[in-house]
């Protein structure tokens, strides 16, 4: 890791811009100011910093260095295969030797979601059968993890991929019509499809997602509803000044989950977490800035490959934060931020590197 960092350091320094300096300065300032709050807990910062420095920020800078090339789709495909094999190893090998059970695979669902998001560009651009097969295997593994949140986002991603594939095609009207028919037919036949899928999976994975679909409570989560209500009450009472980064966990731990480890007590929603930490007004400003950066990057995208990669980062790095996770420890969120903060386009980057 250190050797790789030293190799890419010159390129990384050349790619830095004003947005990067503002972003890094902002992270430093918010952590320092949070430490001055009365209810500050150093253990929370000590738990967050290693993940932020060793995992999240490298994703931020790695996304800045990605450039268009004929090999990029191959790299994305290989990375998706590695993520798939890693999850299958944990699900089947570890279960076979008695190390893990189905409950250990909920976090692996988000890893599979990352793999699906990386496959978006190869699927839409190259139309290879191997990509469709790989995406199907990843989706099956996604269902097997039993995680409902990433499965919901994966469904939205597949819908977006189909719409992108259909765009501009002569037969697009028929594909849209077929998609609408499937959207109606699949829910009506779910009581037949889901039990058959459960029999196919057998004991090879968690049936949590399928059972929740059969019981009609796929989107039901009383704990998250309670957390959301508590977070909204806190934001309403703190319009100007929030709790500070990480200090929101203390409030949720005290009010909602006193029996849960304090590091896992967060809002499970990006907007609520930002609102609690920075207050309503500053939180809205920060959310608007994030939306501005993403929209600006999309409008500056010169190549289809760049647009697809940005959409994949949005599905992997932002949408999951609407239903679970914390942006402070979400690597793909920082990949999205790094990609959105680029000041150049794929085409210009590739041309400059060829000239050099």
């Amino acid at each position: 890791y250190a050797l790789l960092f030293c190799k890419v350091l010159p390129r990384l320094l050349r790619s830095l811009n004003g947005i990067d300096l503002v972003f890094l300065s902002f992270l430093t300032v918010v952590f320092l100011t949070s430490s001055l709050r009365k209810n500050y807990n150093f253990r929370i910062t000590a738990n967050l910093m290693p993940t932020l420095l060793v995992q999240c920020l490298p994703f931020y800078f790695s996304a800045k260095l990605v450039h268009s090339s004929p090999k990029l789709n191959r790299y994305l495909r290989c990375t998706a295969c590695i993520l798939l094999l890693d999850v299958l190893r944990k699900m089947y090998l570890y279960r076979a030797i008695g190390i893990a059970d189905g409950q250990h695979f909920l976090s692996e669902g988000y890893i599979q979601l990352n793999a699906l998001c990386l496959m978006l560009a190869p699927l839409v651009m190259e139309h290879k059968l191997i990509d469709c097969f790989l995406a199907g295997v990843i989706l099956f593994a996604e269902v097997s993890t039993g995680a409902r949140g990433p499965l919901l986002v994966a469904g939205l991603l597949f819908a977006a991929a189909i719409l992108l594939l259909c765009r501009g095609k002569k037969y697009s009207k028929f594909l849209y019509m077929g998609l609408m028919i499937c959207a109606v037919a699949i829910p009506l036949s779910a009581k037949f499809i889901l039990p058959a899928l459960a029999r196919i999976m057998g004991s090879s994975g968690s049936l949590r997602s399928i059972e929740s679909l059969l019981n009609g409570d796929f989107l039901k989560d009383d704990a998250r509803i309670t957390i959301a209500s508590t977070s909204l009450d806190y934001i309403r009472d703190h319009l100007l000044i929030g709790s500070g980064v990480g200090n929101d966990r203390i409030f949720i731990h005290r009010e909602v989950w006193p029996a849960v480890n304090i590091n896992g007590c967060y809002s499970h929603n990006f907007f609520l977490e930002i609102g609690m930490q920075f207050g309503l007004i500053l939180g809205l400003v920060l959310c608007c800035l994030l939306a501005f950066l993403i929209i600006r990057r999309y409008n500056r995208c010169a190549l289809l490959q760049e647009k697809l990669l940005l959409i994949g980062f949005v599905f992997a790095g932002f949408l999951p934060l609407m239903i679970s996770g914390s942006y402070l420890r979400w690597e793909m969120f920082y990949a999205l931020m790094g990609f959105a903060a680029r000041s150049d386009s794929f085409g210009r980057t590739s041309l400059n590197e060829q000239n050099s």
Side-chain angles (χ1 to χ4, degrees), residues 243-314:
S243 65
V245 174
N247 296 336
D248 54 316
R249 286 162 162 75
I250 301 173
F251 178 79
I252 294 177
H253 177 73
R254 183 179 69 246
E255 299 293 331
V256 182
W257 279 345
V260 177
N261 187 302
I262 193 171
N263 293 306
C265 296
Y266 43 84
S267 299
H268 290 272
N269 179 276
F270 177 80
F271 295 121
L272 293 179
E273 186 174 14
I274 291 292
M276 288 190 69
Q277 293 176 356
F278 299 99
L280 178 62
I281 297 177
L282 182 56
L284 287 175
V285 172
L286 293 175
C287 293
C288 290
L289 286 175
L290 174 61
F292 169 77
L293 287 175
I294 295 175
I295 295 173
R296 188 195 67 158
R297 166 50 51 197
Y298 186 84
N299 291 333
R300 290 186 176 183
C301 290
L303 302 175
L304 176 61
Q305 191 178 49
E306 186 179 9
K307 291 183 178 181
L308 293 174
L309 194 56
L310 177 61
I311 294 173
F313 281 147
V314 170

Side-chain angles (χ1 to χ4, degrees), residues 35-320:
S35 65
L36 301 177
R37 300 300 296 273
K38 183 178 179 181
N39 60 344
Y40 174 70
N41 188 332
F42 176 75
R43 290 183 300 170
I44 297 176
T45 303
N47 181 267
L48 291 173
M49 289 307 294
T51 303
L52 183 64
L53 296 176
V54 179
Q55 295 176 224
C56 295
L57 289 182
F59 269 72
Y60 177 90
F61 293 115
S62 297
K64 289 183 63 64
L65 298 179
V66 175
H67 62 87
S68 177
S69 72
K71 296 182 180 180
L72 179 58
N73 285 343
R74 188 189 311 168
Y75 295 152
L76 295 174
R77 187 182 299 113
C78 291
T79 305
C81 289
I82 293 172
L83 295 177
L84 173 63
L85 292 175
D86 178 62
V87 171
L88 294 178
R89 170 181 61 88
K90 295 178 181 178
M91 289 180 60
Y92 295 100
L93 179 60
Y94 284 13
R95 172 175 286 166
I97 60 180
I99 293 180
D101 55 30
Q103 293 301 318
H104 288 78
F105 305 138
L106 299 182
S107 61
E108 311 304 320
Y110 290 98
I111 297 179
Q112 293 302 91
L113 176 62
N114 294 339
L116 278 176
C117 293
L118 294 177
M119 285 297 300
L120 182 62
L123 273 172
V124 174
M125 294 182 63
E126 300 184 1
H127 309 153
K128 290 184 177 180
L129 184 61
I130 184 63
D131 292 333
C132 297
F133 174 76
L134 181 59
V137 175
I138 293 174
L139 184 60
F140 180 81
E142 181 76 80
V143 176
S144 301
T145 62
R148 295 177 295 175
L151 183 60
L152 176 63
V153 179
L156 297 175
L157 177 65
F158 263 90
I162 293 175
L163 293 176
L164 290 169
L165 282 169
C166 296
R167 189 182 61 176
K169 300 292 192 303
K170 295 180 180 180
Y171 48 84
S172 59
K173 294 182 179 179
F174 299 100
L175 289 175
Y176 288 141
M177 188 178 299
L179 183 62
M180 293 175 63
I181 293 174
C182 291
V184 176
I186 291 178
L188 292 177
S189 58
K191 63 180 181 180
F192 305 106
I193 297 176
L194 293 176
L197 183 60
R199 287 193 297 271
I200 294 174
M201 290 175 57
S203 59
S204 61
S206 173
L207 301 178
R208 181 172 177 261
S209 298
I210 298 178
E211 291 173 350
S212 62
L213 284 170
L214 288 172
N215 296 332
D217 57 356
F218 184 81
L219 299 177
K220 183 180 180 181
D221 196 322
D222 295 334
R224 280 181 170 81
I225 293 175
T226 303
I227 292 176
S229 177
T230 304
S231 301
L232 287 172
D233 291 339
Y234 185 90
I235 295 172
R236 182 189 59 195
D237 298 334
H238 298 78
L239 298 179
L240 297 178
I241 301 177
S243 65
V245 174
N247 296 336
D248 54 316
R249 286 162 162 75
I250 301 173
F251 178 79
I252 294 177
H253 177 73
R254 183 179 69 246
E255 299 293 331
V256 182
W257 279 345
V260 177
N261 187 302
I262 193 171
N263 293 306
C265 296
Y266 43 84
S267 299
H268 290 272
N269 179 276
F270 177 80
F271 295 121
L272 293 179
E273 186 174 14
I274 291 292
M276 288 190 69
Q277 293 176 356
F278 299 99
L280 178 62
I281 297 177
L282 182 56
L284 287 175
V285 172
L286 293 175
C287 293
C288 290
L289 286 175
L290 174 61
F292 169 77
L293 287 175
I294 295 175
I295 295 173
R296 188 195 67 158
R297 166 50 51 197
Y298 186 84
N299 291 333
R300 290 186 176 183
C301 290
L303 302 175
L304 176 61
Q305 191 178 49
E306 186 179 9
K307 291 183 178 181
L308 293 174
L309 194 56
L310 177 61
I311 294 173
F313 281 147
V314 170
F315 274 90
F318 181 72
L319 291 187

